Coordinates of all heavy atoms in Angstrom, one line a residue:
M57 N 1.0 0.9 15.8 CA 1.8 -0.1 15.0 C 3.2 0.3 15.0 O 3.6 1.4 14.7 CB 1.2 -0.4 13.6 CG 1.6 -1.7 13.1 SD 0.4 -2.5 12.1 CE -1.0 -2.4 13.1
I58 N 4.1 -0.7 15.3 CA 5.5 -0.4 15.5 C 6.2 0.1 14.2 O 7.2 0.7 14.2 CB 6.2 -1.6 16.0 CG1 7.5 -1.2 16.7 CG2 6.4 -2.7 15.0 CD1 7.5 -1.5 18.2
M59 N 5.6 -0.3 13.0 CA 6.3 0.0 11.8 C 6.2 1.5 11.3 O 6.8 1.9 10.4 CB 5.9 -0.9 10.6 CG 4.5 -1.1 10.4 SD 4.1 -2.2 9.1 CE 4.3 -3.8 9.9
Y60 N 5.3 2.3 12.0 CA 5.1 3.7 11.6 C 5.3 4.5 12.9 O 6.0 4.1 13.8 CB 3.8 3.9 11.0 CG 3.5 3.0 9.8 CD1 2.7 1.9 9.8 CD2 4.2 3.4 8.6 CE1 2.6 1.1 8.7 CE2 4.0 2.6 7.4 CZ 3.1 1.5 7.5 OH 3.0 0.7 6.4
G61 N 4.9 5.8 12.8 CA 5.1 6.6 14.0 C 6.3 7.6 13.9 O 6.6 8.3 14.8
Y62 N 6.8 7.6 12.6 CA 8.0 8.5 12.5 C 7.6 9.8 11.7 O 6.4 9.9 11.3 CB 9.0 7.8 11.6 CG 8.5 7.2 10.3 CD1 8.4 7.9 9.2 CD2 8.2 5.8 10.3 CE1 7.9 7.3 8.0 CE2 7.7 5.2 9.2 CZ 7.6 6.0 8.0 OH 7.1 5.4 6.9
K63 N 8.5 10.7 11.7 CA 8.2 12.0 11.0 C 8.0 11.9 9.5 O 8.8 11.2 8.9 CB 9.4 13.0 11.3 CG 9.0 14.4 11.2 CD 10.3 15.3 11.2 CE 10.0 16.6 10.4 NZ 9.6 16.4 9.0
A64 N 7.1 12.6 9.0 CA 6.8 12.5 7.6 C 8.0 13.0 6.8 O 8.8 13.9 7.2 CB 5.5 13.2 7.2
E65 N 8.1 12.6 5.5 CA 9.2 13.0 4.7 C 9.0 14.3 4.1 O 10.0 15.1 3.9 CB 9.4 11.9 3.6 CG 10.8 11.8 3.0 CD 10.9 10.6 2.1 OE1 10.2 9.5 2.3 OE2 11.6 10.7 1.1
Y66 N 7.8 14.7 3.7 CA 7.6 15.9 2.9 C 6.8 17.0 3.6 O 6.6 18.0 3.1 CB 6.8 15.5 1.6 CG 7.4 14.4 0.8 CD1 6.9 13.1 0.8 CD2 8.6 14.7 0.1 CE1 7.5 12.1 0.1 CE2 9.3 13.7 -0.6 CZ 8.7 12.4 -0.6 OH 9.3 11.4 -1.3
C67 N 6.6 16.8 4.9 CA 6.0 17.9 5.7 C 6.3 17.6 7.1 O 7.0 16.8 7.5 CB 4.4 18.0 5.5 SG 3.5 16.7 6.3
D68 N 5.6 18.4 8.1 CA 6.0 18.3 9.5 C 5.0 17.3 10.2 O 5.0 17.3 11.4 CB 5.9 19.7 10.1 CG 7.0 20.5 9.7 OD1 8.1 20.0 9.4 OD2 6.9 21.8 9.6
G69 N 4.3 16.6 9.5 CA 3.3 15.6 10.1 C 4.0 14.4 10.6 O 5.2 14.2 10.5
I70 N 3.2 13.5 11.3 CA 3.7 12.2 11.8 C 3.0 11.2 11.0 O 1.8 11.3 10.8 CB 3.4 12.1 13.3 CG1 4.1 13.2 14.1 CG2 3.8 10.7 13.8 CD1 5.6 13.1 14.1
V71 N 3.7 10.2 10.6 CA 3.1 9.0 9.9 C 2.5 8.1 10.8 O 3.2 7.5 11.7 CB 4.2 8.3 9.0 CG1 3.6 7.2 8.2 CG2 4.8 9.3 8.0
R72 N 1.1 8.0 10.8 CA 0.4 7.1 11.7 C 0.0 5.8 11.0 O -0.4 5.8 9.9 CB -0.8 7.8 12.2 CG -0.6 9.2 12.7 CD -0.2 9.2 14.2 NE 0.0 10.5 14.7 CZ 0.7 10.8 15.8 NH1 1.3 9.9 16.4 NH2 0.7 12.1 16.2
A73 N 0.0 4.7 11.7 CA -0.4 3.5 11.2 C -2.0 3.5 11.0 O -2.7 4.0 11.9 CB -0.1 2.3 12.2
K74 N -2.4 2.9 10.0 CA -3.9 2.8 9.7 C -4.1 1.5 9.0 O -3.4 1.2 8.0 CB -4.4 3.9 8.9 CG -5.8 3.9 8.7 CD -6.3 5.1 7.8 CE -7.8 5.0 7.5 NZ -8.2 5.9 6.5
I75 N -5.0 0.7 9.5 CA -5.3 -0.6 8.8 C -6.4 -0.3 7.8 O -7.5 0.1 8.2 CB -5.7 -1.7 9.8 CG1 -4.5 -1.9 10.7 CG2 -6.1 -3.0 9.0 CD1 -4.5 -3.2 11.5
V76 N -6.2 -0.5 6.5 CA -7.2 -0.3 5.5 C -7.7 -1.6 4.9 O -6.9 -2.6 4.8 CB -6.7 0.7 4.4 CG1 -6.4 2.0 4.9 CG2 -5.4 0.1 3.8
K77 N -8.9 -1.6 4.5 CA -9.5 -2.8 4.0 C -8.8 -3.3 2.8 O -8.6 -4.5 2.6 CB -11.0 -2.7 3.7 CG -11.9 -3.1 4.9 CD -13.3 -3.1 4.5 CE -13.7 -4.4 3.9 NZ -15.2 -4.7 3.8
R78 N -8.6 -2.4 1.9 CA -7.9 -2.7 0.6 C -7.0 -1.6 0.2 O -7.4 -0.4 0.2 CB -8.9 -2.9 -0.5 CG -9.6 -4.2 -0.4 CD -10.4 -4.5 -1.7 NE -10.7 -5.9 -1.8 CZ -11.1 -6.5 -2.9 NH1 -11.2 -5.8 -4.0 NH2 -11.4 -7.8 -2.9
E79 N -5.8 -1.9 -0.3 CA -4.9 -0.9 -0.8 C -4.3 -1.6 -2.1 O -3.8 -2.7 -2.1 CB -3.8 -0.6 0.2 CG -2.9 0.5 -0.2 CD -3.4 1.9 0.0 OE1 -4.6 2.0 0.5 OE2 -2.7 2.8 -0.2
S80 N -4.2 -0.8 -3.2 CA -3.6 -1.4 -4.4 C -2.2 -0.8 -4.5 O -1.9 0.3 -4.2 CB -4.5 -1.0 -5.6 OG -4.4 0.4 -5.8
F81 N -1.3 -1.7 -4.9 CA 0.1 -1.4 -5.1 C 0.5 -1.6 -6.6 O 0.1 -2.7 -7.2 CB 0.9 -2.3 -4.2 CG 0.7 -2.1 -2.8 CD1 -0.4 -2.8 -2.2 CD2 1.4 -1.3 -2.0 CE1 -0.6 -2.6 -0.8 CE2 1.2 -1.1 -0.6 CZ 0.2 -1.8 0.0
K82 N 1.2 -0.7 -7.1 CA 1.8 -0.9 -8.5 C 2.9 -2.0 -8.4 O 3.7 -2.0 -7.4 CB 2.4 0.3 -9.0 CG 1.6 1.2 -9.9 CD 2.4 2.2 -10.6 CE 1.6 2.9 -11.6 NZ 1.8 4.3 -11.7
H83 N 2.8 -2.9 -9.3 CA 4.0 -3.9 -9.4 C 4.3 -4.2 -10.9 O 3.4 -4.7 -11.6 CB 3.6 -5.2 -8.7 CG 4.8 -6.1 -8.6 ND1 5.0 -7.1 -9.6 CD2 5.8 -6.2 -7.8 CE1 6.1 -7.8 -9.3 NE2 6.7 -7.2 -8.2
K84 N 5.4 -3.7 -11.3 CA 5.8 -3.8 -12.7 C 4.7 -3.2 -13.6 O 4.3 -2.1 -13.4 CB 6.2 -5.2 -13.1 CG 7.4 -5.6 -12.3 CD 8.0 -6.9 -12.7 CE 9.3 -7.2 -11.9 NZ 9.7 -8.6 -11.9
D85 N 4.1 -4.0 -14.5 CA 3.1 -3.5 -15.4 C 1.7 -3.6 -14.8 O 0.7 -3.3 -15.5 CB 3.1 -4.2 -16.7 CG 4.4 -3.8 -17.5 OD1 4.9 -2.7 -17.2 OD2 4.8 -4.6 -18.3
G86 N 1.6 -4.2 -13.6 CA 0.2 -4.5 -13.1 C 0.0 -4.0 -11.7 O 0.8 -3.1 -11.2
F87 N -0.9 -4.5 -11.0 CA -1.3 -4.1 -9.7 C -1.5 -5.3 -8.8 O -1.9 -6.4 -9.3 CB -2.5 -3.2 -9.6 CG -2.4 -1.9 -10.2 CD1 -2.6 -1.7 -11.6 CD2 -2.0 -0.8 -9.5 CE1 -2.4 -0.5 -12.2 CE2 -1.8 0.4 -10.1 CZ -2.1 0.6 -11.4
V88 N -1.2 -5.1 -7.5 CA -1.6 -6.2 -6.5 C -2.4 -5.5 -5.4 O -2.1 -4.4 -5.0 CB -0.3 -6.8 -5.9 CG1 -0.6 -7.6 -4.7 CG2 0.4 -7.7 -6.9
I89 N -3.5 -6.1 -5.0 CA -4.3 -5.5 -3.9 C -4.0 -6.3 -2.6 O -4.1 -7.6 -2.7 CB -5.8 -5.5 -4.3 CG1 -6.0 -4.6 -5.4 CG2 -6.6 -5.2 -3.0 CD1 -7.4 -4.6 -5.9
L90 N -3.7 -5.7 -1.5 CA -3.6 -6.3 -0.2 C -4.8 -5.9 0.6 O -5.2 -4.7 0.5 CB -2.3 -5.9 0.4 CG -1.0 -6.3 -0.2 CD1 0.2 -5.9 0.7 CD2 -0.9 -7.8 -0.4
E91 N -5.3 -6.9 1.4 CA -6.4 -6.6 2.2 C -6.0 -6.5 3.7 O -5.0 -7.2 4.1 CB -7.5 -7.7 2.0 CG -8.1 -7.6 0.7 CD -9.2 -8.7 0.5 OE1 -9.0 -9.8 1.0 OE2 -10.1 -8.4 -0.2
N92 N -6.7 -5.7 4.4 CA -6.4 -5.5 5.9 C -4.9 -5.3 6.1 O -4.3 -6.0 6.9 CB -6.8 -6.8 6.7 CG -8.3 -7.1 6.5 OD1 -9.1 -6.2 6.5 ND2 -8.6 -8.4 6.2
V93 N -4.4 -4.2 5.4 CA -3.0 -4.0 5.4 C -2.7 -2.7 6.2 O -3.4 -1.7 6.1 CB -2.5 -3.9 3.9 CG1 -3.3 -2.8 3.2 CG2 -1.1 -3.6 3.9
P94 N -1.7 -2.8 7.0 CA -1.3 -1.6 7.9 C -0.4 -0.6 7.0 O 0.8 -0.9 6.8 CB -0.5 -2.2 9.0 CG 0.1 -3.5 8.5 CD -0.9 -4.0 7.4
I95 N -1.0 0.4 6.5 CA -0.3 1.4 5.8 C 0.0 2.6 6.7 O -0.5 2.6 7.9 CB -1.0 1.9 4.6 CG1 -2.3 2.7 5.0 CG2 -1.4 0.8 3.6 CD1 -2.9 3.5 3.8
G96 N 0.9 3.5 6.3 CA 1.2 4.7 7.1 C 0.5 5.9 6.4 O 0.5 6.0 5.2
V97 N -0.2 6.7 7.2 CA -0.8 7.9 6.6 C -0.4 9.1 7.5 O -0.4 9.1 8.7 CB -2.4 7.8 6.7 CG1 -3.0 9.0 6.2 CG2 -2.9 6.5 6.0
C98 N 0.1 10.1 6.7 CA 0.6 11.4 7.4 C -0.6 12.0 8.0 O -1.6 12.3 7.4 CB 1.2 12.3 6.4 SG 1.7 13.9 7.1
D99 N -0.5 12.4 9.3 CA -1.6 13.0 10.0 C -1.7 14.5 9.6 O -2.6 15.2 10.1 CB -1.5 12.8 11.5 CG -0.3 13.5 12.1 OD1 0.5 14.2 11.4 OD2 -0.1 13.3 13.3
H100 N -0.9 15.0 8.8 CA -0.9 16.4 8.4 C -1.4 16.5 7.0 O -2.4 17.2 6.7 CB 0.4 17.1 8.5 CG 0.4 18.5 8.1 ND1 -0.1 19.5 8.9 CD2 0.9 19.2 7.0 CE1 0.0 20.7 8.3 NE2 0.6 20.5 7.1
C101 N -0.8 15.8 6.0 CA -1.2 16.0 4.6 C -1.9 14.8 4.0 O -2.4 14.8 2.9 CB 0.0 16.4 3.8 SG 1.2 15.1 3.5
G102 N -1.9 13.7 4.7 CA -2.6 12.5 4.2 C -1.8 11.6 3.3 O -2.3 10.6 2.8
A103 N -0.5 12.0 3.1 CA 0.3 11.2 2.2 C 0.4 9.8 2.7 O 0.4 9.6 3.9 CB 1.7 11.8 2.1
R104 N 0.5 8.8 1.8 CA 0.6 7.4 2.2 C 2.0 6.9 2.2 O 2.8 7.2 1.3 CB -0.3 6.6 1.3 CG -1.8 6.7 1.5 CD -2.5 6.3 0.3 NE -3.6 5.2 0.6 CZ -4.7 5.5 1.3 NH1 -4.9 6.8 1.7 NH2 -5.6 4.5 1.6
Y105 N 2.3 6.1 3.2 CA 3.7 5.5 3.3 C 3.5 4.0 3.4 O 2.6 3.5 4.1 CB 4.4 6.1 4.5 CG 4.8 7.5 4.4 CD1 3.8 8.5 4.6 CD2 6.1 7.9 4.1 CE1 4.2 9.9 4.5 CE2 6.4 9.2 4.0 CZ 5.5 10.2 4.2 OH 5.8 11.5 4.1
Y106 N 4.4 3.3 2.7 CA 4.4 1.9 2.8 C 5.6 1.3 3.4 O 6.8 1.5 2.9 CB 4.2 1.3 1.3 CG 2.9 1.8 0.6 CD1 3.0 2.2 -0.6 CD2 1.7 1.7 1.3 CE1 1.8 2.7 -1.3 CE2 0.6 2.2 0.7 CZ 0.6 2.6 -0.6 OH -0.5 3.0 -1.2
H107 N 5.5 0.5 4.4 CA 6.6 -0.1 5.1 C 7.2 -1.2 4.1 O 6.5 -1.7 3.3 CB 6.2 -0.8 6.3 CG 7.3 -1.4 7.2 ND1 7.7 -2.7 7.1 CD2 8.1 -0.8 8.1 CE1 8.7 -2.9 7.9 NE2 8.9 -1.8 8.6
A108 N 8.5 -1.3 4.1 CA 9.2 -2.3 3.3 C 8.6 -3.7 3.2 O 8.5 -4.4 2.3 CB 10.7 -2.4 3.6
S109 N 8.0 -4.1 4.4 CA 7.4 -5.4 4.5 C 6.2 -5.5 3.6 O 5.8 -6.6 3.1 CB 7.1 -5.8 6.0 OG 6.1 -5.0 6.5
L110 N 5.5 -4.4 3.4 CA 4.3 -4.4 2.5 C 4.8 -4.7 1.1 O 4.1 -5.5 0.4 CB 3.6 -3.1 2.6 CG 2.6 -2.9 3.7 CD1 3.1 -3.2 5.1 CD2 2.0 -1.5 3.7
L111 N 5.8 -4.0 0.7 CA 6.3 -4.1 -0.7 C 6.9 -5.5 -0.9 O 6.8 -6.1 -2.0 CB 7.3 -3.0 -1.0 CG 6.7 -1.6 -0.7 CD1 7.8 -0.5 -0.9 CD2 5.5 -1.4 -1.5
R112 N 7.5 -6.1 0.1 CA 8.0 -7.5 0.0 C 6.8 -8.4 -0.2 O 6.8 -9.3 -1.1 CB 8.7 -7.9 1.2 CG 10.2 -7.6 1.2 CD 11.0 -8.5 2.2 NE 10.6 -8.3 3.6 CZ 11.0 -7.3 4.4 NH1 11.9 -6.4 3.9 NH2 10.5 -7.1 5.6
R113 N 5.7 -8.2 0.5 CA 4.5 -9.0 0.4 C 3.9 -8.9 -1.0 O 3.5 -9.8 -1.6 CB 3.5 -8.6 1.4 CG 2.3 -9.4 1.5 CD 2.6 -10.8 2.1 NE 1.4 -11.5 2.3 CZ 1.3 -12.8 2.7 NH1 2.5 -13.5 2.8 NH2 0.2 -13.5 2.9
V114 N 3.8 -7.6 -1.5 CA 3.4 -7.4 -2.9 C 4.2 -8.2 -3.9 O 3.6 -8.9 -4.8 CB 3.4 -5.9 -3.2 CG1 3.2 -5.7 -4.7 CG2 2.4 -5.1 -2.4
A115 N 5.5 -8.2 -3.7 CA 6.4 -8.9 -4.7 C 6.1 -10.4 -4.6 O 6.0 -11.1 -5.6 CB 7.8 -8.6 -4.4
E116 N 5.8 -10.9 -3.3 CA 5.6 -12.4 -3.2 C 4.3 -12.7 -3.8 O 4.1 -13.8 -4.4 CB 5.5 -12.7 -1.7 CG 6.8 -12.7 -0.9 CD 6.7 -12.8 0.6 OE1 5.5 -12.9 1.1 OE2 7.7 -12.8 1.3
V117 N 3.3 -11.9 -3.7 CA 2.0 -12.1 -4.3 C 2.1 -12.1 -5.8 O 1.6 -13.0 -6.5 CB 0.9 -11.1 -3.9 CG1 -0.4 -11.3 -4.7 CG2 0.6 -11.2 -2.4
A118 N 2.8 -11.1 -6.3 CA 3.0 -10.9 -7.8 C 3.7 -12.1 -8.4 O 3.5 -12.5 -9.6 CB 3.7 -9.6 -8.1
T119 N 4.6 -12.7 -7.7 CA 5.4 -13.8 -8.2 C 4.8 -15.2 -7.9 O 5.4 -16.2 -8.1 CB 6.9 -13.8 -7.7 OG1 6.9 -13.7 -6.3 CG2 7.6 -12.6 -8.3
G120 N 3.6 -15.2 -7.3 CA 2.9 -16.4 -7.1 C 3.3 -17.2 -5.9 O 3.1 -18.4 -5.8
H121 N 4.1 -16.6 -4.9 CA 4.5 -17.3 -3.7 C 3.5 -17.2 -2.6 O 3.8 -17.8 -1.5 CB 5.9 -16.7 -3.3 CG 7.0 -17.0 -4.3 ND1 7.3 -16.3 -5.3 CD2 7.8 -18.1 -4.3 CE1 8.3 -16.8 -6.0 NE2 8.7 -17.9 -5.4
V122 N 2.4 -16.6 -2.8 CA 1.4 -16.5 -1.7 C 0.1 -16.8 -2.4 O -0.2 -16.4 -3.5 CB 1.4 -15.0 -1.2 CG1 0.2 -14.8 -0.3 CG2 2.7 -14.7 -0.5
A123 N -0.7 -17.5 -1.7 CA -2.1 -17.9 -2.1 C -2.9 -16.6 -2.4 O -2.9 -15.7 -1.5 CB -2.8 -18.8 -1.1
A124 N -3.4 -16.5 -3.6 CA -4.2 -15.2 -3.9 C -5.2 -15.6 -4.9 O -5.1 -16.5 -5.7 CB -3.2 -14.2 -4.4
H125 N -6.3 -14.8 -4.9 CA -7.3 -15.0 -6.0 C -7.2 -13.7 -6.9 O -6.6 -12.7 -6.6 CB -8.7 -15.2 -5.5 CG -9.3 -14.0 -4.8 ND1 -9.1 -13.7 -3.5 CD2 -10.0 -13.0 -5.3 CE1 -9.7 -12.6 -3.2 NE2 -10.3 -12.1 -4.3
T126 N -7.8 -13.9 -8.1 CA -7.7 -12.8 -9.1 C -9.1 -12.2 -9.4 O -10.0 -13.0 -9.4 CB -7.1 -13.3 -10.4 OG1 -5.8 -13.8 -10.1 CG2 -7.0 -12.2 -11.5
E127 N -9.2 -10.9 -9.4 CA -10.5 -10.2 -9.7 C -10.3 -9.5 -11.0 O -9.2 -8.9 -11.3 CB -10.9 -9.3 -8.6 CG -11.2 -10.0 -7.3 CD -11.6 -9.1 -6.2 OE1 -11.7 -7.9 -6.4 OE2 -11.8 -9.6 -5.0
L128 N -11.3 -9.4 -11.8 CA -11.3 -8.7 -13.1 C -11.5 -7.2 -12.7 O -12.4 -6.8 -11.9 CB -12.4 -9.1 -14.0 CG -12.2 -10.6 -14.5 CD1 -13.4 -10.9 -15.4 CD2 -11.0 -10.6 -15.3
V129 N -10.8 -6.3 -13.4 CA -10.8 -4.9 -13.2 C -11.2 -4.2 -14.5 O -10.5 -4.4 -15.5 CB -9.5 -4.3 -12.6 CG1 -9.6 -2.8 -12.5 CG2 -9.2 -5.0 -11.3
P130 N -12.3 -3.4 -14.6 CA -12.6 -2.7 -15.8 C -11.5 -1.7 -16.2 O -11.0 -1.0 -15.4 CB -14.0 -2.0 -15.5 CG -14.4 -2.5 -14.2 CD -13.2 -3.0 -13.5
V131 N -11.2 -1.7 -17.5 CA -10.3 -0.7 -18.0 C -10.9 0.0 -19.2 O -11.5 -0.7 -20.1 CB -8.9 -1.4 -18.4 CG1 -7.9 -0.4 -19.0 CG2 -8.3 -2.2 -17.3
A132 N -10.8 1.3 -19.3 CA -11.3 2.0 -20.5 C -10.5 3.3 -20.7 O -9.8 3.8 -19.8 CB -12.8 2.4 -20.2
Q133 N -10.7 3.8 -21.9 CA -10.0 5.1 -22.3 C -10.8 6.2 -21.5 O -12.0 6.1 -21.3 CB -10.2 5.4 -23.8 CG -9.6 4.3 -24.7 CD -8.1 4.5 -24.9 OE1 -7.6 5.6 -24.9 NE2 -7.4 3.4 -25.1
F134 N -10.1 7.3 -21.3 CA -10.7 8.5 -20.6 C -11.7 9.1 -21.5 O -12.8 9.5 -21.1 CB -9.7 9.5 -20.1 CG -10.3 10.7 -19.6 CD1 -11.1 10.8 -18.5 CD2 -10.0 11.9 -20.3 CE1 -11.7 11.9 -18.1 CE2 -10.6 13.1 -19.8 CZ -11.4 13.1 -18.7
A135 N -11.3 9.3 -22.8 CA -12.2 10.0 -23.7 C -12.0 9.4 -25.1 O -11.0 8.8 -25.4 CB -11.9 11.5 -23.7
Ligands
ZN398 ZN1 2.5 15.0 5.4

């Protein structure tokens, strides 16, 4: 995928494109989940990288500019 393939920021690995079924992104106080999304994964340490177009998409979803459905997520105290 053209948006990755560059040298990783924090180690000597290469950031490789990987299409994942679901990835959750923080947005302000909440989260947005994108499906079938091309993220970057460092082939050395596994760190995840997000192309700017992914974050633009997250903002579009969060502000209601993209058709999306909502799922309930369980939330609880650790202890
Ligand atoms: Zn790395």
Side-chain angles (χ1 to χ4, degrees):
M57 197 145 309
I58 200 119
M59 53 182 75
Y60 301 105
Y62 51 83
K63 198 191 156 304
E65 204 171 329
Y66 304 110
C67 77
D68 289 330
I70 300 292
V71 179
R72 309 276 183 198
K74 182 183 178 193
I75 298 193
V76 293
K77 263 189 94 164
R78 284 191 160 198
E79 185 81 358
S80 67
F81 297 85
K82 262 195 174 140
H83 186 266
K84 297 189 177 162
D85 291 334
F87 290 89
V88 167
I89 292 173
L90 294 182
E91 294 182 324
N92 302 315
V93 55
I95 65 167
V97 180
C98 176
D99 64 4
H100 181 72
C101 72
R104 284 160 127 73
Y105 290 80
Y106 300 134
H107 188 265
S109 65
L110 275 53
L111 304 178
R112 271 202 299 278
R113 186 72 173 168
V114 166
E116 286 171 0
V117 173
T119 52
H121 289 88
V122 171
H125 68 272
T126 300
E127 295 179 3
L128 294 176
V129 177
V131 179
Q133 303 275 331
F134 171 63

